Amino acid sequence: MNLIKLLKIDLIKLSNYRAFWVLNILYGLLIVGIPAGVIEFLKWLDRIGEDFSEFNPMKIPVLHFPDIWQNTTYVYTWLKIFMAIIIVISISNEFSYKTVRQNIIDGFSRLDFLMSKLATIFVMSFASSLLVLITCLLTGLIYTPEFEFGDVFNGVEFVGAYFIDLFGFLVFAFFMTVLMKRSALTVFMLLIYRPVELIFISNLPRQLEFLGDYFPLQAMSNMIEVPFPRYAFQEIQDYVVMPFVGVSLLWIGILIYGIYSKLKSSDL
Amino acid sequence: MESVLTINNLTKKYGRLTAVNNLSLDVKRGDVFGILGPNGSGKTTTLGILLDVIKRTSGDFQWFDKPPTKEMRKRIGAILETPIFYPYLSATKNLEIVAKIKGAPLSNIDPVLKKVELYERKDDKFRTFSLGMKQRLSIASALVCDPEVMILDEPTNGLDPQGIAEIRELIKGIAADGKTIILASHLLDEVQKVCTHFAVLKKGNLLYTGLVDDIDKGIVNVEVASEETTLKEVLESCPFVEKVKEEDGKYVAQLSDDKQAMDINKYLFEHGIGVSHLLTQKKSLEKQFLELLAESETV
Ligand SMILES: Nc1ncnc2c1ncn2[C@@H]1O[C@H](COP(=O)(O)OP(=O)(O)OP(=O)(O)O)[C@@H](O)[C@H]1O
Ligand SMILES: [Mg+2]
C-alpha cells in the first residue's frame, strides 16, 4: 500500500483522540513559548539593571542570527519526550485494544502497520521542525540588531539535525513500545534510558571509551553540541557534526529493522 | 469444486501445550463450515493462524489454492473472539478504517450499518455500545468489503434471542448468495441450522469432519407410546426392530432395513395395538457432538 494511504489510515485513528491533540498543542506552545520567554526574561533583566549598568542584556546574542539556530534547536531537543509520549500512547493503544490484530486480519501486512506509524512519526517530526524553523526565523528577524541577508540562514542546518534527533527518538520510542507493549512502563523506560546510557558510557573501560559516542541517544545528541559555553569564551563546535548525523541515521535504520523483526515474529 | 481453504497438517505449540495438532481440513466454495469443540480446543487459534495473526509452528494452508497473502485477507471478512475497535471512535469512523485497509468503497458503510441495525447509532463512540451492539458492529465490519469468505468466531456471543435469530438469518442470507462461511460456535443448534459441513476439534485434534445432513442418516429411532401393555413385547418381536429402550414411559425402537415410522405403525396396527404417540427422533448435532467427545474419552 502506498505511504500516503497508510498515513491517512493512521490519521483517522488519531483524529478523534483527545490526548493526541492536547499533547501536540502543548508541544507547539513550548516551541513558540521558549524564545518568547527568553526575550521577556532579557527585557526584565534590562529593566532591573538599567540604573546601575550600561550593559544591555538584549545585546547578548543568544537569539540573534546566526547563534539562534544552534541555541534553540539544542534546547528543543530536550522537549522530545513530550512527542515521544504521544507516540507511545498511540502505539501501545493498538496493542491494548488489540486493534493491531484486527488491522492485520483486515488486510494490513505487519510492514503496512509499521509504515503507517512511521509515516505519522515522520509527519509529526517534520511539522515540528517546520514550526521550529518559522519560530527561529521570526525571532531572529525581530531581535537581531543588524544582519545581512546572507546571515539569516547561516546555521539553518541545525533544524535538519533537530529533525533527525526528534525522528530518531520517536522511532526509539516506537521500538520500546513494541517491546514493552504497555504505555506507562514504556514511558518510564524512556525516561530512565538516557541516564542509564550516560552512566554506562562513563563506566566504559579505557580501551572501549571511544564507543561511548556511538550509543544511540548519545550519537543523536552529538549532532548538536551544547552551545552555551561559547558565551563564556569557550571553543565549541558551532556546526552540525556530520559524522554523527551518519551514525544517527544508521541507528534509525537499525531500530526500524528491530521493530520489523519483532512484529514479524510475534503473535498479535 | 474449487477449494476456498485447504489446511495441511497445521500445528501450533505454545511451549509444551499443543493448541492445534496436525490439523487438515478442506473448505469448498459455498460451504458453510462449522467448527465445533469445547473451550480451549483450538478453534480461535486455528482461525488466528489462517488470518496471519498467530504464527504457526508447522504445516501450511492455502486460500483460494494459493499461499496466503494480505491481498487475500482483504477478500475475507473476519472477526475473532471479541469485537475489536477503537473505543474513542464512532461506528462510522471505525468502519472507515476497515474499508480503507481493505480497499473497499466508503459507500459500503451505511448499507452494512443499516443491515445490522446500527445506523441510528453510527456517530456514537464504540465504547458507548452495549455488548450486543458491539457484536453487530463487528459483523458489519466483516461485511464492509462484500467478502467472498466470512470467518465468524462465536458471532452470537452476548446477543439476545432475537439478535441470535437475526444473525442466523443474516448468515443464511449471506450463504444463499453463494458465499463461503467458516463459523466457530458453541451453539450447536445454530450450527445445525445454518451449516452444511462441520468439524469437531478437541484439544487441538480433529475428531470428526462431515456433512451436517449425514448426522441423522442411517439409524432411525422412533418413539412409541400406547395404552396397551403388550407394546414392548410386540415391538421386540418385530423383525425390523433392532433394539427397544424405555425412555420416560415411552419406548424407543431402533429400526433397520430403511424402515420408517410409518412401517412400525402399520406393524403395530396389524398386531392390534393402537398408538397414542409416534415420533421419529431427529438426531441432533448436539447429541452427535457429545457422543464424539465421549468416544474420544474412551480411546
Ligand atoms: N497466547 C497463548 N499462550 C499460551 N497458550 C495459549 C495462548 N492462546 C491460546 N492458548 C491455549 O491454546 C489452547 C486453544 O485455545 P483457543 O483459544 O484456540 O481455544 P478455543 O477453541 O477458541 O476455545 P473457546 O471455545 O473457549 O473460545 C488453549 O488451551 C489455550 O489455553
Ligand atoms: Mg475461541
Side-chain angles (χ1 to χ4, degrees):
Chain A
M1 241 190 268
N2 74 46
L3 265 176
I4 302 293
K5 241 170 117 178
L6 293 173
L7 174 67
K8 276 188 183 156
I9 292 173
D10 207 51
L11 291 183
I12 304 177
K13 296 177 186 175
L14 294 172
S15 61
N16 289 39
Y17 195 55
R18 179 99 54 77
F20 174 75
W21 293 110
V22 170
L23 284 167
N24 267 330
I25 290 170
L26 212 65
Y27 187 77
L29 287 178
L30 278 172
I31 288 196
V32 179
I34 286 176
V38 170
I39 295 284
E40 287 310 310
F41 178 69
L42 293 179
K43 280 184 184 159
W44 177 76
L45 274 187
D46 193 20
R47 273 200 307 282
I48 59 160
E50 218 164 21
D51 308 332
F52 48 87
S53 152
E54 69 270 39
F55 171 69
N56 179 1
M58 291 305 282
K59 289 240 167 70
I60 307 173
V62 266
L63 295 175
H64 299 176
F65 292 130
D67 287 17
I68 183 171
W69 296 112
Q70 184 172 3
N71 292 347
T72 49
T73 51
Y74 172 78
V75 170
Y76 289 151
T77 58
W78 289 91
L79 302 180
K80 55 189 182 240
I81 187 73
F82 269 96
M83 282 257 150
I85 289 173
I86 307 176
I87 294 300
V88 170
I89 292 176
S90 92
I91 296 171
S92 65
N93 273 349
E94 301 267 8
F95 289 100
S96 56
Y97 300 148
K98 288 192 163 196
T99 40
V100 52
R101 181 184 218 211
Q102 190 64 40
N103 287 168
I104 304 286
I105 290 175
D106 287 335
F108 258 7
S109 63
R110 281 152 216 248
L111 188 62
D112 286 336
F113 179 78
L114 170 87
M115 294 310 279
S116 78
K117 293 294 173 199
L118 273 188
T120 302
I121 289 178
F122 185 90
V123 168
M124 283 170 62
S125 311
F126 191 81
S128 151
S129 306
L130 208 61
L131 184 64
V132 166
L133 182 81
I134 294 169
T135 308
C136 287
L137 208 54
L138 290 181
T139 314
L141 286 175
I142 296 170
Y143 293 103
T144 310
E146 54 213 32
F147 57 88
E148 284 173 29
F149 187 73
D151 290 343
V152 172
F153 290 103
N154 177 10
V156 74
E157 63 274 11
F158 277 104
V159 178
Y162 164 82
F163 170 79
I164 296 173
D165 182 79
L166 179 59
F167 184 73
F169 189 66
L170 297 185
V171 169
F172 182 68
F174 186 1
F175 176 77
M176 296 290 262
T177 315
V178 169
L179 288 190
M180 319 273 169
K181 303 279 196 296
R182 287 200 306 274
S183 60
L185 179 66
T186 314
V187 171
F188 177 71
M189 293 305 274
L190 279 180
L191 286 171
I192 66 162
Y193 174 83
R194 182 67 177 136
V196 168
E197 193 189 76
L198 283 172
I199 292 167
F200 194 83
I201 290 171
S202 64
N203 285 303
L204 280 173
R206 177 134 256 161
Q207 318 83 284
L208 295 177
E209 239 165 34
F210 69 98
L211 281 178
D213 275 339
Y214 297 94
F215 279 65
L217 296 196
Q218 184 60 41
M220 289 178 201
S221 83
N222 282 344
M223 286 187 293
I224 305 176
E225 225 206 339
V226 195
F228 303 115
R230 62 179 156 193
Y231 303 111
F233 308 108
Q234 281 178 32
E235 196 65 34
I236 60 143
Q237 293 180 307
D238 58 356
Y239 48 88
V240 175
V241 187
M242 283 324 246
F244 287 111
V245 172
V247 177
S248 302
L249 291 176
L250 194 67
W251 271 116
I252 291 174
I254 292 170
L255 289 170
I256 293 175
Y257 184 76
I259 298 167
Y260 180 65
S261 341
K262 174 69 182 147
L263 284 176
K264 197 157 176 67
S265 61
S266 47
D267 291 343
L268 295 172
Chain B
M1 236 203 310
E2 187 193 347
S3 276
V4 165
L5 170 66
T6 321
I7 304 177
N8 309 307
N9 308 316
L10 197 64
T11 298
K12 172 70 184 183
K13 292 199 166 112
Y14 288 111
R16 290 211 321 277
L17 183 130
T18 305
V20 179
N21 188 16
N22 214 14
L23 177 70
S24 298
L25 280 179
D26 195 29
V27 179
K28 306 275 187 216
R29 185 167 294 278
D31 285 359
V32 181
F33 200 102
I35 300 179
L36 311 178
N39 293 133
S41 55
K43 303 179 295 293
T44 302
T45 305
T46 304
L47 298 178
I49 294 171
L50 298 177
L51 294 164
D52 197 32
V53 288
I54 298 175
K55 294 284 159 186
R56 58 192 186 236
T57 307
S58 62
D60 57 45
F61 59 94
Q62 282 99 42
W63 283 109
F64 312 104
D65 288 324
K66 288 188 207 87
T69 64
K70 64 172 179 173
E71 294 308 321
M72 289 166 187
R73 290 200 300 282
K74 294 179 186 171
R75 293 154 67 185
I76 299 170
I79 47 171
L80 273 198
E81 287 187 314
T82 41
I84 297 177
F85 292 99
Y86 296 89
Y88 53 85
L89 292 182
S90 68
T92 308
K93 282 256 188 247
N94 269 299
L95 292 194
E96 221 172 275
I97 292 174
V98 177
K100 286 229 155 110
I101 291 178
K102 288 189 168 306
L106 296 184
S107 58
N108 283 2
I109 293 174
D110 282 355
V112 295
L113 282 172
K114 282 181 186 143
K115 195 162 198 162
V116 298
E117 292 176 14
L118 279 178
Y119 188 70
E120 281 75 46
R121 300 292 299 266
K122 73 190 175 104
D123 295 320
D124 290 356
K125 290 193 166 63
F126 174 73
R127 79 166 115 76
T128 68
F129 284 7
S130 75
L131 177 58
M133 289 159 69
K134 290 177 177 170
Q135 203 77 36
R136 283 164 204 265
L137 186 64
S138 62
I139 288 177
S141 101
L143 285 171
V144 95
C145 67
D146 191 19
E148 287 167 59
V149 182
M150 282 187 88
I151 294 182
L152 304 170
D153 189 3
E154 297 176 35
T156 50
N157 207 356
L159 290 184
D160 52 24
Q162 187 200 349
I164 293 178
E166 280 167 18
I167 297 299
R168 185 200 306 148
E169 288 314 307
L170 204 68
I171 294 174
K172 277 182 172 169
I174 297 162
D177 290 344
K179 291 193 172 147
T180 312
I181 298 173
I182 299 169
L183 172 72
S185 178
H186 290 298
L187 301 175
L188 302 176
D189 190 38
E190 280 309 301
V191 173
Q192 187 160 23
K193 278 183 184 134
V194 302
C195 290
T196 56
H197 295 67
F198 73 105
V200 180
L201 298 185
K202 188 187 168 192
K203 294 198 179 142
N205 293 298
L206 181 68
L207 293 187
Y208 180 87
T209 173
L211 287 168
V212 171
D213 283 343
D214 283 351
I215 292 170
D216 49 12
K217 271 224 184 103
I219 304 157
V220 178
N221 284 315
V222 178
E223 281 177 20
V224 195
S226 170
E227 309 294 305
E228 307 287 338
T229 48
T230 53
L231 176 64
K232 187 173 183 212
E233 275 163 52
V234 177
L235 278 175
E236 276 168 349
S237 70
C238 172
F240 53 83
V241 170
E242 294 265 298
K243 267 200 294 204
V244 180
K245 261 191 310 187
E246 195 174 344
E247 259 176 31
D248 22 87
K250 301 181 201 105
Y251 291 97
V252 179
Q254 185 182 325
L255 309 187
S256 58
D257 308 332
D258 281 339
K259 297 289 185 193
Q260 301 297 317
M262 190 183 69
D263 302 301
I264 192 85
N265 193 22
K266 203 163 140 210
Y267 180 87
L268 291 172
F269 188 73
E270 280 163 7
H271 289 76
I273 293 181
V275 299
S276 59
H277 172 85
L278 185 74
L279 178 76
T280 307
Q281 281 185 345
K282 271 263 177 204
K283 184 162 179 190
S284 68
L285 180 58
E286 181 165 348
K287 210 162 172 186
Q288 167 111 357
F289 176 72
L290 294 173
E291 277 175 24
L292 281 166
L293 292 184
E295 247 170 60
S296 76
E297 296 291 352
T298 59
V299 289

